[in-house]
Amino acid sequence: MLTSASPVSKVFYGTIIHSRSLKQIEYIRHGLLFVDNFGVIVRMERDVPPNLLDSLLGDIARDKVLVLNDDQFIMPGFIDTHIHAPQYSYCGNGHDIPLLQWLNTLTFPYESKFKDLAHARHVYTKSVARSLRNGTTSACWFATLHLEATKELVNVIQEQGQRAYVGKVNMNQNSPAILIETAESSVADTRAFIEYVQKINQRVTTNTTKPLVTPIITPRFAISCTSDLLTQLGDLAREYNLPIQSHLCETPNEIAFTRSLFPQSRDYTSIYADHGLLNAHSIMAHCVHMTDQELAMMKERHAGVSHCANSNFTIKSGMAHIRRMLDMDIKVSLGTDVAGGYSPSVLEALRSARTCSVAVDAETALKVPELFYLATMGGARVMGLEAVIGSFAVGKEFDAILVNTAVENSPLDVFDHDTVESMFEKYLFMGDDRNNEKVYVQGKEVRIPDAGGPAASVGPGSGLAALH
C-alpha cells in the first residue's frame, strides 16, 4: 500500500526481468513497478493488462510513468565485485606476460602516477563512467596506496552516482620503492580515508538520499603486506565494521611466493584468517587454485568469491571451479578485474564465466539463470547487500538498467520468432553498452559524462573536494 510517507517518484510498465534464485529467472510481462522518493521499490504488480493501467496508477502523475515498448525491458544493475580503477588507462594491454611480471611491467609504473591528483581525476572520471555505461550500478574498487588520489576516486563516484566500495590499497613490502609505505603510514592513511568517507556520507545524507560509498579494507595481496600490517588492517576492519577485499590463490607462482613469506600459516587462505581478514564481510578475488581445506574455510567463514574468468584467461592464471563452490554454497559473484580483464563490462565477465565453466566440466557448465544470478544477486550477496539490491523485491532499492534491444546500431537483432526469454539471452551474450538506454542507482537516473569530454563535476557530489 502506498502512503503519503512514500510518494512515488517513478513507475515502470512493461517487461521486468530479475533473479528469483540461483536456478530461476522471473520474466514479468506487463509488470508495473513503483519506486518512491527514497529510491525504494514500494510495489510490484504482475500481468497488468493495458486496460487496467489507469485504475492501478490512480492519481500518480502520468509524467512519472515510463511505458516500455516490446524491445525494452528493465533488469537489476550489474554488480562488479573486483575492479581496479587506476588500471583502466591500460585496459587491454599486457596480456602476453604472467601476473607477477605484469604487475612490475605495467601496474606498478602506472599506479605510481596517481600521486598527481589531476592525473588521478582524469583517469578515475573515465574509469567510473565506463563502468556505469556498461550497466554496473555497484562496484568494489581498488584504488592505489595514495590517500589523496583515493579520496578523489570517492569524489568522482559521488559525482557520477554509482554505488561503491572503495579501498585505499595497502602495500609495505615486495613493491617498487615508489609504491612502498611503512606499516604505520599505511594504517594512518587508511584510517584517514575511512574518516573522510564518513564525513562525506554525513554531508550527502538527506531525507531522500542515503550514502552510496563505503570504505573497504584493501591489502593488495598478502605478498605486499607484512604480518604486522595485515594484523592492524584486521583490527581496523573490526573497529569500523568494514568489508575487506584482496586477492587469493590467483596463480601457482603467486601462491608459492606467498606461502614462503608466511610459513606459520597453513595455506594462503589461512594467512588472511590468521590476521583477522577472512569473515562474512570478505571479498576474495580469483580463488582459482584452492585446496579442499581452503574451500572449506571460505564456507565456514562465510567469505565471498569474486570470479574473474576474463582476467584468469588473459593472464593465463587458470580456471576456477565455480560449480564446486556453488555446490558448497560458497558465496560467488563476478568481477571484471580491469585491467587483468580486458573489459570493464560485467556482460563480458558473465560470458567468460560461462566459457570457464564449460572448459572445467562441460557436463556441469553454468546455465543462464546461474550466470545472471552471479552478475546481480550473487554480487549483492558477496557485498552483504542482498537485502538492499540485486533484484526487484519490494523493499529493495531500485538499481537498474533499462535495456533496449533495438537501439540504433545495436549489436544484436531481434526477429519475429524471438520471445522475451530469447531476447534477454541475446542481450546477455551479444549485447553491450549501446543497449543500456538508461542506468538507475537508488532510484535516480545516472548522468554519465560524455566518453570523449573533459572530466566534469555533475550531480550531488559536486564540491566535495573541499573536504580534503
Side-chain angles (χ1 to χ4, degrees), residues 164-427:
Y165 287 178
V166 180
K168 188 212 88 68
V169 170
N170 305 102
M171 42 200 299
N172 73 330
Q173 68 172 3
N174 295 313
S175 305
I178 198 169
L179 288 176
I180 284 280
E181 314 167 283
T182 65
E184 293 75 18
S185 67
S186 185
V187 171
D189 283 355
T190 301
R191 184 182 295 277
F193 174 66
I194 293 166
E195 293 175 354
Y196 176 77
V197 177
Q198 289 177 335
K199 287 179 183 178
I200 284 185
N201 287 345
Q202 290 170 1
R203 179 172 174 173
V204 302
T205 300
T206 68
N207 289 337
T208 60
T209 302
K210 288 182 276 187
L212 290 172
V213 178
T214 299
I216 182 169
I217 300 299
T218 307
R220 181 176 215 110
F221 54 174
I223 287 173
S224 71
C225 300
T226 60
S227 180
D228 177 48
L229 177 54
L230 290 176
T231 297
Q232 293 186 71
L233 292 175
D235 292 342
L236 274 181
R238 283 189 297 276
E239 178 182 347
Y240 289 96
N241 191 29
L242 292 178
I244 299 155
Q245 63 180 354
S246 195
H247 301 80
L248 177 61
C249 292
E250 186 172 358
T251 72
N253 287 344
E254 169 220 9
I255 294 169
F257 185 29
T258 303
R259 294 193 65 183
S260 73
L261 296 172
F262 297 89
Q264 72 279 14
S265 293
R266 184 186 67 192
D267 48 44
Y268 195 164
T269 305
S270 296
I271 295 168
Y272 293 116
D274 293 344
H275 293 87
L277 293 166
L278 193 74
N279 56 43
H281 307 294
S282 300
I283 303 169
M284 293 294 160
H286 304 298
C287 300
V288 175
H289 305 281
M290 302 283 283
T291 65
D292 291 345
Q293 286 180 316
E294 288 176 298
L295 287 174
M297 179 176 289
M298 292 288 287
K299 165 68 174 174
E300 178 186 347
R301 299 293 184 101
H302 304 288
V305 174
S306 181
H307 178 38
C308 306
N310 186 315
S311 170
N312 299 153
F313 282 132
T314 53
I315 300 183
K316 301 176 284 293
S317 303
M319 297 181 293
H321 201 321
I322 298 304
R323 171 63 65 202
R324 186 180 180 196
M325 297 180 193
L326 293 176
D327 287 347
M328 294 177 65
D329 194 29
I330 293 173
K331 297 182 295 187
V332 181
S333 58
L334 299 182
T336 60
D337 193 26
V338 167
Y342 58 74
S343 171
S345 169
V346 175
L347 283 172
E348 286 291 343
L350 177 152
R351 295 161 192 167
S352 294
R354 164 67 180 175
T355 301
C356 177
S357 70
V358 171
V360 169
D361 183 355
E363 294 300 316
T364 63
L366 297 176
K367 295 179 168 55
V368 168
E370 296 169 318
L371 294 164
F372 182 49
Y373 180 92
L374 296 184
T376 54
M377 271 303 297
R381 189 178 175 213
V382 165
M383 291 181 73
L385 298 175
E386 62 268 35
V388 180
I389 56 172
S391 72
F392 292 139
V394 170
K396 291 192 179 185
E397 295 180 13
F398 185 72
D399 288 11
I401 310 168
L402 194 164
V403 176
N404 187 345
T405 58
V407 70
E408 185 177 359
N409 296 319
S410 175
L412 61 92
D413 293 300
V414 177
F415 295 90
D416 290 343
H417 66 261
D418 276 311
T419 62
V420 168
E421 291 86 351
S422 67
M423 185 172 67
F424 176 64
E425 288 189 20
K426 283 186 174 183
Y427 168 72

Side-chain angles (χ1 to χ4, degrees), residues 11-18 25-33 44-48 53 66-76 372 392 398 400-405 418-425:
V11 180
F12 297 86
Y13 178 63
T15 299
I16 300 168
I17 302 172
H18 69 154
I25 299 173
E26 183 178 22
Y27 297 92
I28 304 168
R29 296 160 179 82
H30 299 109
L32 194 57
L33 186 148
M44 170 87 87
E45 299 289 344
R46 293 164 171 80
D47 302 316
V48 177
L53 186 57
L66 182 57
V67 178
L68 309 185
N69 64 40
D70 290 343
D71 298 313
Q72 297 172 311
F73 57 85
I74 58 169
M75 56 168 277
F372 182 49
F392 292 139
F398 185 72
I401 310 168
L402 194 164
V403 176
N404 187 345
T405 58
D418 276 311
T419 62
V420 168
E421 291 86 351
S422 67
M423 185 172 67
F424 176 64
E425 288 189 20

Side-chain angles (χ1 to χ4, degrees), residues 38-52:
F38 302 95
V40 174
I41 300 165
V42 291
R43 183 180 176 186
M44 170 87 87
E45 299 289 344
R46 293 164 171 80
D47 302 316
V48 177
N51 64 310
L52 292 184

